[in-house]
Amino acid sequence: MTTSTDNKMEKIVALCKRRGFVFQGTDIYGGLRGAWDLGPLGVALNNRIKSEWWKMFVEGREDMYGLDAAILMNAKVWEASGHVAGFVDPLVEDTETSERFRADHLLKDNGIDAEGMSLEMIDATILERGIKSPKGNPLSKARTFNMMFETRIGATAGPEGQVYLRPETAQGIFVNFKNVVDSMSPKLPFGIGQIGKAFRNEIAPREFLFRVREFEQMEIEYFVRESEWQEQFEAWRLAIWQWFDHLGLSRENIQEFEVPENDLAHYSKRTIDFEYNYPGKGFDELAGFAYRTDFDLQAHAKASGQSMEYVEGDGTKLVPHVLEPSFGVGRALTAVLCESYREDEVNGEVRTYLALPTHLAPYRACVSPLLKNKPELVEKARGVFMLLKKEFGNIAWDDNGNVGKRYRRQDEIGTPYCIVIDFDTLGENPDLLDTVTIRHRDTGEQERVAISELVSRLK
Ligand code: ATP
């Protein structure tokens, strides 16, 4: 059964709330725009995405090192990186309601690409095309708005107390470049990977987890000799596609967008956005991949007075160039949910299920006794549950309602296998003693498997 893309996203958001994946942040006080909380199943899925990423890109490679830098950093980092001066978005206000909008997004909604436009060009376009706010009111002149959250540390009132919540994890890697080189003696090319929170005071957070003010990034800074950046760029591009395959995203739902030269960030010589086809929204950024040249290391060398040179085996000194694959965890989670959301018909009723890959599913399997009021069944089922829980950890127990209802509940949260302990398990049919039924989520097919083989079968 097909689901119209228009309301598919609404159904996913409703499922996320109903089944404990994602809740509106601070819900009981009316929420906070741009902030979402992960529920028990959301945090399980989120953690799995992060641990699979870490396995693939850090532990799975010989040329990668992990890092976890502090969120709060000396403010000089953000001056040197150009964020204090330039991490801005164009803002316009509804002159009647004072509501604020991203000018480039408003223009895009009116079919105009505002990438690279100056504030004057935005003003002129708004005037020329008669663009109004979504409520139909006149708009203010465009101005820039810095997206970094500012805060203060300690009790000092002066400028030395000024700090920012990091708007990207990348700078934590650059400022530790020397530390990693000195402590690990890596050979070029090599990379540093980090997963952590980032904060952006987005003017208009919207579209569920797509544009929020607090989010997680999984970022890699890959250090190369300048002469090899193109070759390494191609290798990483393939690795990024493999990551999307591993998330179970189909290739036709992803496209590469080559950012035109005049729209490139000040530090980049080439950037590709990987875009996902979000239902009801269309293709938009899922991850970014930028060649950042030696901009950041040179900027920090200049501002800190510390050398960022790398010494090759033959004594040659150089400041490496950088390739940066940058992934948002929330956008990956959204894409995974959109990709796996399915509806079909079982016994004349609509069934909703998440066809999540087993390595991402919050629960790998659910164990239940056929009937909950038969102690001998419950006891046997508890034994199987404990056996699997010890092995995999993420095993659910469900003895509520009838078996059909349990299947529906587990389907909806993407549990790949449901295991039922029945009277045959206890030996009512001697041939089936100590075997259980495994029911497969996507096909509904059932098979009989010996308890002794369950662990290897579920692996
Ligand atoms: P956009 O153009 O959509 O604002 P960006 O190009 O500014 O994104 P990058 O700076 O390249 O984003 O950040 C890398 C990744 O971090 C993005 O591909 C995205 O997955 C994630 N990300 C960035 N901003 C947000 C946000 N406000 N909410 C959720 N994820 C974000």
Side-chain angles (χ1 to χ4, degrees):
M1 182 186 269
T2 53
T3 312
S4 116
T5 51
D6 286 346
N7 63 14
K8 184 169 168 184
M9 201 64 217
E10 281 167 34
K11 288 181 176 179
I12 292 170
V13 174
L15 186 152
C16 280
K17 174 158 192 199
R18 188 171 67 246
R19 299 307 313 274
F21 281 89
V22 184
F23 306 124
Q24 172 69 59
T26 353
D27 209 1
I28 62 165
Y29 287 102
L32 181 71
R33 277 192 79 201
W36 295 85
D37 295 340
L38 294 175
L41 300 189
V43 71
L45 177 54
N46 208 60
N47 282 347
R48 252 166 256 295
I49 291 172
K50 291 190 288 182
S51 70
E52 290 299 313
W53 185 91
W54 195 259
K55 270 193 253 167
M56 181 178 276
F57 289 122
V58 181
E59 290 175 354
R61 299 175 57 122
E62 284 180 54
D63 56 351
M64 287 290 301
Y65 300 83
L67 186 79
D68 190 5
I71 290 175
L72 297 177
M73 292 193 276
N74 190 311
K76 287 179 182 157
V77 170
W78 306 109
E79 283 158 25
S81 68
H83 282 80
V84 171
F87 195 59
V88 292
D89 272 339
L91 173 149
V92 283
E93 270 180 28
D94 179 314
T95 50
E96 308 262 313
T97 65
S98 302
E99 264 177 286
R100 293 171 159 196
F101 304 96
R102 272 228 356 220
D104 52 337
H105 288 170
L106 265 192
L107 293 191
K108 197 173 169 196
D109 293 345
N110 283 275
I112 303 160
D113 181 8
E115 288 272 1
M117 273 193 190
S118 66
L119 294 178
E120 291 74 22
M121 282 163 78
I122 291 174
D123 287 340
T125 311
I126 287 176
L127 204 67
E128 208 173 281
R129 301 286 291 265
I131 295 171
K132 298 271 189 308
S133 79
K135 293 215 169 112
N137 300 321
L139 293 164
S140 69
K141 276 197 178 311
R143 63 184 165 90
T144 53
F145 176 77
N146 195 304
M147 286 196 290
M148 282 201 295
F149 281 100
E150 296 179 22
T151 187
R152 310 197 62 77
I153 48 163
T156 44
E160 63 279 11
Q162 170 79 65
V163 286
Y164 301 94
L165 299 186
R166 65 181 179 199
E168 60 174 27
T169 61
Q171 297 304 324
I173 297 181
F174 292 126
V175 300
N176 278 289
F177 169 74
K178 268 314 248 182
N179 287 333
V180 174
V181 168
D182 292 346
S183 57
M184 306 303 291
S185 311
K187 298 272 169 297
L188 270 185
F190 72 92
I192 302 177
Q194 173 167 236
I195 300 178
K197 288 255 170 155
F199 304 83
R200 296 184 187 179
N201 200 359
E202 295 279 357
I203 295 167
R206 57 181 185 177
E207 293 159 325
F208 195 41
L209 302 178
F210 184 81
R211 188 168 304 285
V212 292
R213 292 190 170 124
E214 175 181 340
F215 56 99
E216 283 181 296
Q217 289 185 315
M218 308 181 281
E219 291 200 300
I220 293 162
E221 305 305 324
Y222 196 72
F223 301 97
V224 300
R225 300 171 188 95
E226 186 178 5
S227 58
E228 64 191 355
W229 82 263
Q230 271 143 322
E231 178 198 328
Q232 291 295 340
F233 194 94
E234 287 312 313
W236 273 101
R237 188 180 179 163
L238 294 181
I240 292 169
W241 276 103
Q242 278 162 6
W243 165 244
F244 296 140
D245 289 344
H246 191 60
L247 287 181
L249 306 179
S250 55
R251 290 197 167 206
E252 75 242 27
N253 276 335
I254 299 174
Q255 68 183 22
E256 289 185 12
F257 172 73
E258 180 88 41
V259 177
E261 225 167 283
N262 60 332
D263 290 341
L264 290 172
H266 58 285
Y267 52 73
S268 177
K269 273 217 179 132
R270 186 174 180 197
T271 296
I272 292 177
D273 287 346
F274 286 83
E275 300 183 328
Y276 183 75
N277 190 10
Y278 300 95
K281 172 174 169 65
F283 282 97
D284 211 334
E285 185 169 331
L286 169 63
F289 178 36
Y291 167 42
R292 288 179 86 125
T293 68
D294 58 353
F295 174 85
D296 301 270
L297 288 183
Q298 293 287 13
H300 289 305
K302 197 162 160 225
S304 68
Q306 306 272 329
S307 166
M308 295 291 156
E309 280 178 335
Y310 175 90
V311 186
E312 296 261 38
D314 65 1
T316 315
K317 290 183 176 170
L318 64 117
V319 175
H321 281 231
V322 172
L323 300 176
E324 180 191 69
S326 173
F327 307 85
V329 187
R331 288 191 193 176
L333 188 145
T334 310
V336 165
L337 287 173
C338 294
E339 187 80 32
S340 61
Y341 183 89
R342 309 276 155 83
E343 285 176 3
D344 62 4
E345 219 178 277
V346 177
N347 304 332
E349 275 182 30
V350 177
R351 167 179 87 126
T352 302
Y353 68 103
L354 296 180
L356 291 171
T358 304
H359 55 274
L360 297 182
Y363 294 116
R364 180 172 287 253
C366 174
V367 178
S368 56
L370 182 65
L371 300 168
K372 84 171 186 190
N373 57 0
K374 296 282 176 218
E376 60 277 31
L377 280 180
V378 174
E379 193 187 330
K380 189 77 182 172
R382 289 300 297 176
V384 172
F385 172 71
M386 292 314 293
L387 170 86
L388 297 181
K389 188 126 185 95
K390 203 165 145 210
E391 180 68 30
F392 299 107
N394 61 332
I395 303 293
W397 170 264
D398 191 355
D399 57 8
N400 273 323
N402 63 39
V403 170
K405 286 212 175 99
R406 294 178 206 160
Y407 289 161
R408 290 300 100 78
R409 270 200 298 274
Q410 295 301 323
D411 288 345
E412 215 185 22
I413 60 171
T415 309
Y417 308 106
C418 282
I419 294 161
V420 176
I421 284 73
D422 57 19
F423 293 105
D424 286 339
T425 316
L426 303 179
E428 198 167 279
N429 175 349
D431 291 344
L432 296 178
L433 176 69
D434 280 336
T435 64
V436 296
T437 303
I438 299 186
R439 182 258 190 190
H440 296 255
R441 176 195 61 204
D442 299 353
T443 59
E445 277 166 21
Q446 305 197 3
E447 58 172 330
R448 205 75 199 178
V449 174
I451 292 174
S452 56
E453 282 170 24
L454 257 185
V455 167
S456 62
R457 180 58 67 94
L458 292 191
K459 272 183 179 160

